[in-house]
Amino acid sequence: MNREILRDTVQQLFANNKGLLAMDESTGTCNRRFAAAGIPQTLLMRRDYRELIVTTPRLKEYIGGAILYDETIRQQTKAGVPMAEVLMNAGIIPGIKVDLGTKPLAGFPNEMITEGLDGLRERLAEYKIMGARFAKWRAVISIGDNVPTSMGIEANVHALARYAALCQEADIVPIVEPEILMSGNHSLRRCEEVTEMVLKRLFYQLYRSRIDLEGIILKPNMVMAGAESGEQNTSEEIAEATVRCLLNSVPAAVPAIAFLSGGQSPMDADAHLNAMHTQSKGHLPWVVTFSFGRALQQPALAAWKGNTVNIKKAQRLLYEQTKAAAAARLGDFHREVETERWK
Ligand code: 13P
């Protein structure tokens, strides 16, 4: 492990107030989003869509790194340039999702475990040759009746720690993502409790696994009431609960926290991130930024519709979303102004 390389990568990813773009949807997830938008679910359409993203003009102004999926990192643009190379040429660091998705955790109904540790050392070596300098592994925790269990949490954070160790061994920065899902009817308070418990156990496992905390990125959920709870919270309440939870559980040695958007609208995700910054006035111990997937891509995907004539418009919308998220990262996002602009 070369600690300097890990630190340099983190520093470059988030320099100049940038964030990350998650474009690592698995084939199944990407196809589901295409189906919802009436786009044919083919290899070539997925290629065209990912090409649209990586060739977006000025993307690097607000994006320091983009997380790719295995299919994409092996793909080339129509002009025959590998997608990762397009990103590198544009000044954006390519990253790679290395988990292989979730399966039910045997013996524990309604809990999932993320797979992909077997052969990971070899896959990381291959991705590194393709240009990846950081990686992502997503663990999924649901809140519901009798879940999460202690075993469900332990199994997932243990896998995250083993993944992180393999990444650091290969000088690849691990994004450690323990996602507490938004679905459910739990309260904001319950989400805070569960998120805090998961993060505390995660950092204990990272410690036991001899992870260099200065060479990781944490990708957590924001603390929010369940989507079916009916509980309405303001951005200020969500930001306050999220920051309190993180301050209680994430060591200051961690250089950066980059949130997932988890199905929030772009406007909500940006407003919540913004509120964290306006409340804390620059006094947080970590870089606090975004690693959104849907909250950056949604408007672009809807505008593209799988049609070449819409590419420029879709790229403009993607760029605008990255700009709005970057403004939120500085506490300089104004919902009213944005709402007016997007009309
Ligand atoms: P969302 O922002 O759409 O949740 O995606 C981010 C991500 O990478 C989830 O693993």
Side-chain angles (χ1 to χ4, degrees):
M1 174 179 18
N2 184 326
R3 289 171 199 268
E4 278 316 305
I5 294 179
L6 298 173
R7 280 163 184 58
D8 277 359
T9 302
V10 176
Q11 200 277 330
Q12 285 173 35
L13 284 170
F14 301 114
N16 303 316
N17 300 313
K18 293 181 193 187
L20 305 180
L21 168 62
M23 50 177 294
D24 60 330
E25 300 80 11
S26 64
T27 300
T29 303
C30 186
N31 283 349
R32 267 198 306 284
R33 298 206 179 132
F34 276 15
I39 299 165
Q41 297 109 64
T42 64
L43 179 77
L44 286 184
M45 288 308 252
R46 290 194 298 276
R47 194 273 315 266
D48 288 353
Y49 179 57
R50 266 69 182 252
E51 177 167 345
L52 175 163
I53 296 178
V54 301
T55 58
T56 292
R58 297 155 69 197
L59 191 63
K60 74 147 186 240
E61 284 178 21
Y62 305 110
I63 297 297
I67 316 169
L68 302 174
Y69 180 56
D70 180 79
E71 177 180 283
T72 316
I73 203 168
R74 297 176 191 282
Q75 268 172 339
Q76 303 183 344
T77 60
K78 281 194 220 71
V81 185
M83 297 280 186
E85 206 174 304
V86 178
L87 287 170
M88 288 188 273
N89 292 340
I92 295 171
I93 301 177
I96 180 75
K97 183 231 290 294
V98 299
D99 68 69
L100 300 179
T102 56
K103 290 276 166 58
L105 180 65
F108 290 81
N110 305 319
E111 291 191 280
M112 310 296 277
I113 181 71
T114 304
E115 300 199 327
L117 287 172
D118 288 352
L120 182 54
R121 178 178 276 127
E122 293 72 25
R123 287 195 291 127
L124 284 167
E126 193 189 2
Y127 290 138
K128 195 171 169 180
I129 292 167
M130 295 178 190
R133 289 170 55 195
F134 69 106
K136 186 191 104 172
W137 178 289
R138 173 175 175 258
V140 177
I141 308 279
S142 297
I143 303 180
D145 291 341
N146 305 318
V147 293
T149 62
S150 198
M151 176 63 189
I153 296 171
E154 291 303 330
N156 274 290
V157 297
H158 189 258
L160 276 168
R162 285 197 54 207
Y163 140 81
L166 284 161
C167 286
Q168 291 196 333
E169 178 188 87
D171 300 331
I172 288 178
V173 172
I175 295 184
V176 176
E177 180 179 11
E179 176 174 3
I180 318 299
L181 293 178
M182 252 169 68
S183 50
N185 53 20
H186 50 273
S187 63
L188 176 98
R189 184 70 201 127
R190 172 86 178 124
C191 180
E192 182 175 349
E193 266 170 26
V194 173
T195 304
E196 185 175 333
M197 177 165 58
V198 169
L199 289 174
K200 283 182 166 157
R201 291 183 185 207
L202 168 67
F203 280 99
Y204 180 57
Q205 281 301 335
L206 295 177
Y207 162 68
R208 291 185 70 200
S209 301
R210 303 179 176 174
I211 299 303
D212 174 12
L213 289 187
E214 292 181 55
I216 71 164
I217 296 162
L218 178 70
K219 177 161 173 164
N221 50 286
M222 296 183 189
V223 171
M224 298 174 68
E228 294 84 42
S229 68
E231 182 178 328
Q232 298 284 348
N233 296 110
T234 61
S235 290
E236 283 65 35
E237 288 166 338
I238 289 167
E240 208 179 302
T242 303
V243 168
R244 181 173 55 225
C245 175
L246 295 171
L247 284 172
N248 275 299
S249 46
V250 183
V254 172
I257 294 178
F259 287 101
L260 60 96
S261 61
Q264 302 178 66
S265 69
M267 210 64 89
D268 283 350
D270 291 344
H272 301 157
L273 178 61
N274 190 69
M276 293 180 214
H277 286 288
T278 52
Q279 284 173 3
S280 58
K281 301 186 179 66
H283 288 121
L284 297 172
W286 338 267
V287 164
V288 175
T289 184
F290 57 92
S291 174
F292 298 157
R294 282 162 284 182
L296 290 175
Q297 293 183 45
Q298 219 169 46
L301 179 62
W304 177 52
K305 299 192 188 82
N307 197 328
T308 317
V309 300
N310 299 324
I311 289 178
K312 289 248 162 343
K313 181 176 181 206
Q315 289 181 326
R316 203 176 58 246
L317 292 173
L318 175 62
Y319 171 78
E320 292 294 333
Q321 281 305 345
T322 64
K323 186 174 176 180
R329 180 209 203 281
L330 290 170
D332 201 18
F333 170 90
H334 304 282
R335 191 191 270 267
E336 316 71 43
V337 178
E338 290 295 318
T339 310
E340 204 48 48
R341 220 158 59 82
W342 286 88
K343 267 185 187 158

